[in-house]
């Protein structure tokens, strides 16, 4: 097997402080790849880890040229790390997988099978979210609902980054120039012949998740604002609706004043109206601000990530 030259399969693994997981990951993934009997490479992306994970991998890479390692100059987040991995993968079939074994490596065999059948965007789809806390389940479900209500193309439910992309599809993703990279959305956007492969997501065996609800909220916001401008339109339509309603109300008040002569009253209705409309205006401004701040980030044209070191590349 010629693993030094042109690999047939690239396994892209972004990781951030996964010193407990990396040995377990290789232990479980190596036999799967050996069974497949294809020339493969690992493209590990060290997303600014501060623990011993990168050092351990480097040691492995000395004896194993098929282990490639790109170290980023700091923690850029998984989306950027995944982008870096895709950019350095060389095979015709490229798998994106987490280092924490929540994405079962055994599924790569099924992915590759589908690839051989001509599919180019093969994604793992979770059959159940039993391993998630209920709050995560509910919020995730809500996110997919809202995202698909707003964005187009729609994103398949319960699908993450765990997938196999053809070289063509991966290059298409890399060509998308945005810096705010909501990878799941980009993967769905590029299209190509796609298919879901169902799987059960396991619990993390070691280490801990890098996510919390605040990060997830921002991630969701990024995803939606990156994929659709519908929230802006909604503001417009809501504003139009409110103006129309106010106009009718104004006519009604004028009519009452003329017919009944209206002594001073209506403190409550005035307060409610002022508070309500200030709230609406602030929310609308907030929505505009969300888009504006993203435009600002994009026009800076900063690179998505910076490399610090490359091993075996
Ligand atoms: N990860 C990364 N950079 C980050 C956060 C996470 O490369 O800033 C990696 C992490 O090491 C793992 C994968 O992305 O391999 C998924 O992360 P995690 O398990 O924390 O996410 P979850 O599975 O909880 O969604
Ligand atoms: Mg995980």
């Amino acid at each position: 097997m010629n693993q030094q030259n042109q690999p047939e399969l690239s396994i892209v693994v972004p990781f951030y402080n996964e010193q407990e997981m990396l040995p377990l990951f290789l232990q479980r993934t190596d036999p799967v790849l050996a069974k497949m009997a294809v020339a493969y490479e690992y493209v590990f992306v060290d997303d600014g880890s501060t623990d011993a994970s990168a050092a351990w991998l480097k040691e492995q890479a000395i004896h194993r040229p098929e282990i490639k390692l790109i170290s980023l100059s700091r923690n850029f987040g998984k989306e950027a790390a995944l982008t870096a991995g895709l950019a350095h993968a060389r095979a015709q079939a490229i798998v994106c997988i987490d280092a924490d074994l929540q994405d079962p490596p055994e599924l790569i065999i099924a992915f590759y099978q589908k690839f051989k059948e001509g599919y180019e965007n093969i994604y793992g789809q979770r059959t159940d979210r039993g391993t998630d806390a209920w709050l995560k389940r509910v919020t995730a479900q809500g996110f997919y609902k809202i995202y698909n209500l707003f964005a187009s193309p729609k994103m398949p439910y319960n699908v993450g980054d765990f997938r196999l992309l053809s070289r063509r599809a991966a290059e298409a993703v890399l060509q998308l120039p945005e810096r705010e990279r909501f990878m799941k959305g980009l993967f769905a956007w590029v299209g190509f012949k796609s298919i879901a492969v169902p799987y059960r997501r396991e619990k993390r065996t070691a280490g801990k998740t890098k996510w919390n609800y605040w990060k997830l909220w921002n991630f969701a916001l990024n995803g939606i604002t990156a994929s659709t401008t519908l929230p802006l339109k909604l503001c417009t339509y809501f504003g139009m609706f409110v103006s129309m309603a106010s106009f009718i109300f104004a006519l009604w008040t004028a009519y009452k004043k003329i017919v009944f002569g209206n002594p001073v009253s209506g403190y409550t209705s005035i307060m409610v109206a002022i508070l309500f409309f200030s709230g609406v205006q602030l929310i609308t401004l907030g929505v505009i601000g969300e888009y504006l701040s993203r435009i600002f980030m994009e026009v800076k044209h900063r690179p998505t990530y910076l490399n610090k070191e490359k091993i075996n590349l």
Side-chain angles (χ1 to χ4, degrees):
M1 219 174 351
N2 187 353
Q3 280 164 357
Q4 184 52 283
N5 297 323
Q6 192 53 41
E8 294 158 71
L9 181 64
S10 297
I11 311 289
V12 171
V13 196
F15 68 88
Y16 176 49
N17 291 346
E18 302 280 8
Q19 58 181 15
E20 295 109 320
M21 280 317 305
L22 288 179
L24 299 172
F25 175 82
L26 280 183
Q27 232 172 59
R28 198 165 136 193
T29 312
D30 281 339
V32 174
L33 298 176
K35 209 163 91 186
M36 291 173 70
V38 294
Y40 64 87
E41 64 172 2
Y42 286 106
V43 182
F44 283 98
V45 184
D46 167 23
D47 188 13
S49 298
T50 50
D51 66 356
S53 30
W56 184 83
L57 253 186
K58 268 194 223 170
E59 226 164 81
Q60 304 301 307
I62 296 173
H63 315 289
R64 298 186 57 181
E66 76 278 16
I67 294 185
K68 325 275 170 193
L69 172 66
I70 304 138
S71 289
L72 305 186
S73 63
R74 62 169 171 84
N75 180 243
F76 282 88
K78 187 189 170 188
E79 313 300 298
L82 201 52
T83 306
L86 287 178
H88 289 84
R90 294 171 306 146
Q92 289 302 317
I94 302 168
V95 169
C96 305
I97 187 169
D98 286 357
D100 60 1
L101 289 176
Q102 286 197 277
D103 306 334
E106 294 75 20
L107 213 67
I108 296 172
I109 298 176
F111 283 0
Y112 199 64
Q113 192 98 38
K114 291 284 173 211
F115 172 70
K116 286 286 168 198
E117 286 168 24
Y119 290 95
E120 302 200 49
N121 196 342
I122 304 139
Y123 47 85
Q125 187 163 37
R126 303 173 62 168
T127 45
D128 73 295
R129 284 185 164 261
T131 49
D132 279 356
W134 75 266
L135 185 60
K136 177 92 186 273
R137 278 207 297 271
V138 171
T139 47
Q141 192 74 6
F143 169 72
Y144 285 107
K145 274 232 171 71
I146 293 174
Y147 184 93
N148 283 339
L149 197 67
F150 283 177
S152 158
K154 303 206 178 312
M155 203 163 52
Y157 272 57
N158 295 334
V159 166
D161 299 324
F162 183 32
R163 67 182 64 224
L164 186 153
L165 295 173
S166 69
R167 164 115 241 126
R168 234 168 27 146
E171 268 165 17
V173 169
L174 288 171
Q175 263 168 28
L176 303 180
E178 53 251 70
R179 278 118 246 280
E180 196 59 71
R181 301 187 75 75
F182 183 66
M183 294 306 268
K184 292 198 274 188
L186 302 189
F187 291 146
W189 190 88
V190 297
F192 293 102
K193 201 173 170 197
S194 309
I195 192 169
V197 178
Y199 76 104
R200 255 192 78 96
R201 195 165 169 85
E202 293 161 35
K203 272 208 161 73
R204 238 180 200 278
T205 19
K208 52 178 190 274
T209 173
K210 313 293 179 290
W211 292 97
N212 56 42
Y213 282 103
W214 178 243
K215 278 193 189 165
L216 279 173
W217 162 251
N218 282 303
F219 186 58
L221 219 57
N222 276 344
I224 287 171
T225 49
S227 313
T228 169
T229 51
L230 204 67
L232 286 170
K233 283 208 185 98
L234 283 182
C235 290
T236 313
Y237 294 130
F238 189 64
M240 272 153 71
F241 169 76
V242 167
S243 316
M244 244 141 55
S246 325
F247 184 66
I248 293 167
F249 184 69
L251 286 182
W252 165 243
T253 328
Y255 169 78
K256 262 202 335 197
K257 166 88 183 142
I258 293 161
V259 176
F260 304 111
N262 200 359
V264 181
S265 79
Y267 171 76
T268 319
S269 54
I270 288 174
M271 279 315 282
V272 168
I274 290 177
L275 293 176
F276 176 73
F277 290 119
S278 346
V280 169
Q281 281 167 3
L282 286 176
I283 291 171
T284 310
L285 270 179
V287 173
I288 296 172
E290 289 293 330
Y291 281 94
L292 185 70
S293 66
R294 283 170 179 83
I295 296 172
F296 175 66
M297 296 312 277
E298 293 293 333
V299 296
K300 285 204 280 191
H301 284 295
R302 291 196 180 164
T304 307
Y305 58 87
L306 289 177
N307 290 325
K308 184 174 70 182
E309 193 180 12
K310 293 184 192 179
I311 309 279
N312 286 344
L313 272 158

